[in-house]
Amino acid sequence: MKKVVKFGGSSLASAEQFKKAGSIIRADESRRFVVPSAPGKRFSGDTKVTDMLYSCYGAAIKEKKFTDSLAVIHERYKEIISGLGLALSLDKDFEIIRENFGKKIGRDYAASRGEYLNGKIMASYLGFDFIDAAEVVRFDEDGSFLGDVTNELLAARLEGTKGAVVPGFYGAKDSGKIVTFSRGGSDITGSLVALAVGADLYENWTDVSGFLIADPRIVKNPKSIETITYRELRELSYMGASVLHEDAIFPVRKAGIPINIRNTNAPEDKGTLIVEGTCRQPKYTITGIAGTDGFAAVTIEKAMMNSEIGFCRKALHIFEENNISIEHMPSGIDTMTIFVHKDEFEEKEQRVLAGIHKVLQPDHIELESDLALIAIVGRGMKATRGTAGRIFSALAHAHINVKMIDQGSSELNIIVGVRHDDFKNAIRALYEIFVVTQI
């Protein structure tokens, strides 16, 4: 059996956390491939190493003194190395980093050094091979990720290794220029390694015991999710749930490799298993609730709209011309409402309204802002009658007016729109009826 294990920044923020990660890896000989993040926060108010590197490089770009800041970062790593009792020196590495910062080699290069250096420490600590991600994760000259090339390079390099550490978050072009994924991109690297080695399981170790049914900042002590499908995860991630980088799903999904979200500080917890499909019945009708606010709605009214061929296409083209993405588009016989991100829409709203009047000649246009969208997601909803009714009942009982409801044809999720002021209360009300009381 082969497992790929990825550890987040909070799991590798100090020597103490490194030891926890090391114990987890050594407890299972199938955990042969390790993907580390850069050191995260050691305590509340601390600064992540990646942010320190961004700041340090920013000073270099502005021709300001940056060597003192770089020395502080060096000390962070020295503390980890000393705490682990390793005979390892990163002095030469930091000298190279100092020279490259002076040459203004690139912001991506600067950010990637956090993972690179942590990878060296992890490899030394475990006695594993260190493989620089710049040699095996490939981007083209435009900065676009090359999946097939990366898979070939990784598979060839990792074949036959007894244990290897591949730093997360970055790769390189053929020219050697470093390119990073978006923040949280170490999740993606872990997924790529899992695909390349044909792993049986991809374990993603962080500071929470898997996914929670609702945001703990909104719902007090929400229940955890034992098993979730990739489709359910995609729906929840899109609406704001953020334990795993969204793009980390695709490489392992096509290979049928499950992901296990685990807690470095509570390794006995089973966490959340993410799978392609499952016969396991969910404990509750829903799998999770997630939402995000900051939306605006444009409602277009016109008599006999439904009989006017191409009306929807023309409406959407107006938004496309203004480079505004559409979130949802519920419609009636003589009305259609288009939900958009408020911050995208505000600066272009008059151009959009002018376009609607010119092209569609509506009877009336209504604008509404400060709206939120909430997704209620669950594979159990398909086999359960009255789910929509329970949603309306919960929100009505909480005195919350529903501005929109949209259910996909898969019956996997229902999305409701509410006012911003009702956002948190709506999530609490939905959690109460589906999880706490299960009425």
Side-chain angles (χ1 to χ4, degrees):
M1 190 170 186
K2 287 183 286 189
K3 294 180 182 178
V4 171
V5 291
K6 178 263 175 182
F7 288 91
S10 61
S11 299
L12 302 175
S14 65
E16 181 183 356
Q17 291 298 100
F18 251 89
K19 290 176 182 178
K20 291 179 184 178
S23 295
I24 289 167
I25 295 165
R26 292 178 180 125
D28 186 344
E29 62 181 15
S30 65
R31 292 175 176 139
R32 294 168 42 199
F33 306 96
V34 183
V35 176
S37 295
K41 293 182 179 182
R42 296 162 294 184
F43 47 83
S44 178
D46 195 19
T47 305
K48 297 178 181 179
V49 163
T50 301
D51 291 329
M52 296 172 73
L53 286 163
Y54 275 131
S55 178
C56 185
Y57 186 71
I61 287 291
K62 295 175 183 177
E63 302 287 352
K64 295 181 179 179
K65 185 178 180 181
F66 65 88
T67 52
D68 289 347
S69 298
L70 193 61
V72 173
I73 299 171
H74 195 174
E75 284 300 318
R76 283 280 293 268
Y77 285 102
K78 284 181 178 179
E79 286 178 11
I80 294 173
I81 292 169
S82 176
L84 297 176
L86 298 176
L88 174 70
S89 172
L90 298 178
D91 290 352
K92 289 184 179 179
D93 294 287
F94 271 92
E95 180 59 27
I96 293 170
I97 292 170
R98 185 192 64 76
E99 291 176 2
N100 285 331
F101 276 27
K103 296 175 183 176
K104 304 177 181 60
I105 198 171
R107 181 176 164 85
D108 281 6
Y109 168 82
S112 73
R113 296 306 85 184
E115 278 75 13
Y116 173 83
L117 296 168
N118 240 17
K120 282 200 159 188
I121 296 174
M122 180 62 83
S124 177
Y125 184 52
L126 297 173
F128 283 8
D129 295 334
F130 173 75
I131 298 174
D132 187 354
E135 299 174 2
V136 289
V137 178
R138 189 64 70 239
F139 293 82
D140 67 17
E141 289 308 309
D142 293 328
S144 298
F145 174 65
L146 299 174
D148 291 340
V149 175
T150 294
N151 193 55
E152 290 179 11
L153 292 171
L154 272 169
R157 189 68 180 275
L158 294 171
E159 186 178 7
T161 58
K162 293 183 178 180
V165 175
V166 182
F169 185 43
Y170 72 95
K173 302 176 182 179
D174 283 338
S175 62
K177 184 176 178 61
I178 298 294
V179 181
T180 61
F181 294 110
S182 58
R183 289 297 290 262
S186 291
D187 291 340
I188 302 174
T189 306
S191 187
L192 295 172
V193 172
L195 175 65
V197 301
D200 298 286
L201 183 66
Y202 169 28
E203 293 181 339
N204 193 297
W205 293 83
T206 180
D207 54 5
V208 293
S209 297
F211 278 90
L212 300 174
I213 292 177
D215 190 334
R217 294 169 297 184
I218 298 174
V219 175
K220 187 176 181 181
N221 298 322
K223 302 286 186 180
S224 60
I225 301 171
E226 294 179 359
T227 306
I228 186 172
T229 64
Y230 286 120
R231 290 178 65 198
E232 291 172 307
L233 175 61
R234 174 87 170 117
E235 298 285 352
L236 291 171
S237 296
Y238 181 72
M239 291 302 290
S242 57
V243 173
L244 183 72
H245 195 296
E246 191 177 338
D247 292 340
I249 299 170
F250 298 106
V252 290
R253 180 176 182 176
K254 69 179 183 181
I257 301 170
I259 303 174
N260 195 188
I261 307 296
R262 302 284 294 273
N263 189 343
T264 306
N265 301 312
E268 67 282 356
D269 293 350
K270 292 182 179 180
T272 298
L273 191 65
I274 308 168
V275 296
E276 175 64 29
T278 178
C279 291
R280 299 181 189 181
Q281 291 299 313
K283 189 174 181 179
Y284 309 102
T285 300
I286 65 167
T287 299
I289 306 167
T292 185
D293 56 7
F295 291 96
V298 182
T299 299
I300 304 169
E301 296 182 17
K302 186 176 182 180
M304 304 301 291
M305 174 193 299
N306 64 319
S307 63
E308 187 174 329
I309 296 172
F311 189 91
C312 290
R313 177 186 57 78
K314 293 174 185 176
L316 295 179
H317 185 64
I318 294 166
F319 286 86
E320 181 184 356
E321 282 185 321
N322 286 279
N323 200 32
I324 298 173
S325 60
I326 305 296
E327 289 299 317
H328 289 279
M329 193 181 69
S331 62
I333 296 174
D334 293 327
T335 65
M336 66 181 294
T337 301
I338 300 172
F339 277 76
V340 294
H341 287 280
K342 181 182 174 183
D343 55 357
E344 281 186 12
F345 178 69
E346 279 185 332
E347 62 183 60
K348 303 172 183 177
E349 65 175 18
Q350 296 309 313
R351 291 205 300 271
V352 172
L353 295 178
I356 292 172
H357 278 291
K358 180 180 179 181
V359 176
L360 302 175
Q361 299 175 351
D363 297 330
H364 179 66
I365 300 175
E366 182 179 344
L367 299 181
E368 192 166 7
S369 60
D370 293 325
L371 298 174
L373 296 179
I374 300 170
I376 303 95
V377 178
R379 60 189 183 278
M381 287 164 43
K382 190 172 185 178
T384 305
R385 296 177 182 174
T387 302
R390 292 167 72 189
I391 291 171
F392 281 119
S393 177
L395 297 178
H397 186 71
H399 307 290
I400 295 168
N401 183 34
V402 176
K403 310 297 292 186
M404 180 207 78
I405 185 164
D406 186 14
Q407 181 172 13
S409 58
S410 67
E411 298 183 56
L412 185 70
N413 75 319
I414 295 176
I415 296 174
V416 295
V418 299
R419 290 199 60 79
H420 166 76
D421 293 343
D422 293 326
F423 176 53
K424 292 182 179 180
N425 285 337
I427 290 179
R428 294 185 188 110
L430 293 167
Y431 183 86
E432 179 75 20
I433 199 168
F434 283 106
V435 179
V436 179
T437 61
Q438 298 188 61
I439 296 174

